[in-house]
Amino acid sequence: LGQTWMRNHNMLQTTWWTRVEPKKDQFEWTFDFQLDALKKHRMPVLGQIFSTPGWAAADGAKPESKGYPKSWNPNMTYFRRYARKTVERYKDYIKHWEIGNEPAVGLFWQGTPEDFAVMCQAACQEAKKADPDCVVMVGGFTTPAWKWHLAAAKAGALKHVDAISMHFGGKIGVPEEIYGNLKTVLDHFQGLAKQYGPGKEVPIWSTEGGTGDSTWYRGLTGALAPSEKQRELTWRK
């Protein structure tokens, strides 16, 4: 298929906190088999510092979630240990790390933008302690969630980052329209990086994306039924 990278999210869960330390003080690393499979293909991995076990929530233990893991605002002592030990364990293979995933979405982050900023600073610091040469990015930001990004940036979420990761999607249009929308997003994040982050522009990574169900081909969309008359496709289709 031409895929050259694997992101440690959903399909690969080797570095998730809920996987490496499901119980307090019991590091298990039981998902290493996933990473071992990728090593056979020499596929680079974007590691992810993500998901808080219920026992590690900052405001007291939570019941372990069924299904998708929650990302509670974590107890920072335990979180720092998790981040440091995880980067240390995989540093010979994983050199790029993403902190969080779509934190403005309640399914993926249970705290405030300010809580997220505290976690990001801690993760960046611990990752660099474990591997000074690693690249650390924050935080799989969805667009548009401008006010959320701004609040997190003001609180210091971007202070120590090497890059910013974002998720860009939406309706398909002609290339010029898509480029215009994307440039608006990139300018937004670069502005936050310069004002509240490292003080300069940083690389922007697109770590997740999506499109509507229209066609990429110029002119052809007009020959199809209007979108409101087209039957929606399920994910299976």
Side-chain angles (χ1 to χ4, degrees), residues 17 21 24-25 55-56 75-83:
W17 195 359
E21 193 185 10
K24 183 180 177 182
D25 299 329
W55 63 263
N75 176 298
M76 294 312 301
T77 298
Y78 299 128
F79 174 77
R80 283 181 175 273
R81 182 180 65 175
Y82 150 68

Side-chain angles (χ1 to χ4, degrees), residues 102-222:
E102 299 188 357
V105 179
L107 175 64
F108 303 118
W109 177 247
Q110 306 297 313
T112 66
E114 292 74 19
D115 293 333
F116 185 69
V118 172
M119 187 189 75
C120 289
Q121 289 192 50
C124 289
Q125 292 166 354
E126 297 303 326
K128 291 294 185 179
K129 287 179 184 177
D131 182 9
D133 297 325
C134 72
V135 174
V136 184
M137 63 189 73
V138 172
F141 291 119
T142 45
T143 59
W146 312 125
K147 291 183 179 179
W148 209 101
H149 305 159
L150 177 60
K154 282 185 174 180
L158 308 179
K159 189 174 182 180
H160 302 296
V161 302
D162 300 308
I164 296 172
S165 64
M166 59 89 179
H167 297 169
F168 179 75
K171 293 179 62 177
I172 297 175
V174 296
E176 292 80 5
E177 180 184 352
I178 296 173
Y179 175 78
N181 293 338
L182 179 57
K183 187 175 186 305
T184 298
V185 172
L186 297 178
D187 289 346
H188 163 71
F189 285 117
Q190 295 294 15
L192 294 179
K194 288 188 285 189
Q195 187 169 1
Y196 303 107
K200 61 181 180 181
E201 291 192 350
V202 298
I204 306 291
W205 284 50
S206 175
T207 60
E208 192 175 314
T211 64
D213 61 357
S214 182
T215 172
W216 285 102
Y217 295 106
R218 284 180 182 270
L220 186 57
T221 302

Side-chain angles (χ1 to χ4, degrees), residues 83-97 123-136 162:
R84 183 176 64 255
K85 287 177 74 71
T86 301
V87 175
E88 172 68 28
R89 181 177 180 84
Y90 300 112
K91 67 180 181 180
D92 290 338
Y93 193 79
I94 301 178
K95 306 303 291 186
H96 297 75
W97 293 90
C124 289
Q125 292 166 354
E126 297 303 326
K128 291 294 185 179
K129 287 179 184 177
D131 182 9
D133 297 325
C134 72
V135 174
V136 184
D162 300 308

Side-chain angles (χ1 to χ4, degrees), residues 8 10 12-24 26-31 48-57 62-72 79 82 86:
N8 192 107
N10 291 353
L12 177 67
Q13 301 175 15
T14 305
T15 66
W16 282 9
W17 195 359
T18 51
R19 301 306 188 196
V20 304
E21 193 185 10
K23 296 182 180 180
K24 183 180 177 182
Q26 295 182 24
F27 284 84
E28 298 184 357
W29 315 107
T30 52
F31 277 65
Q48 191 177 54
I49 303 299
F50 175 70
S51 76
T52 306
W55 63 263
K62 309 289 186 183
E64 295 302 333
S65 59
K66 296 181 180 179
Y68 206 90
K70 300 290 186 183
S71 277
W72 309 103
F79 174 77
Y82 150 68
T86 301

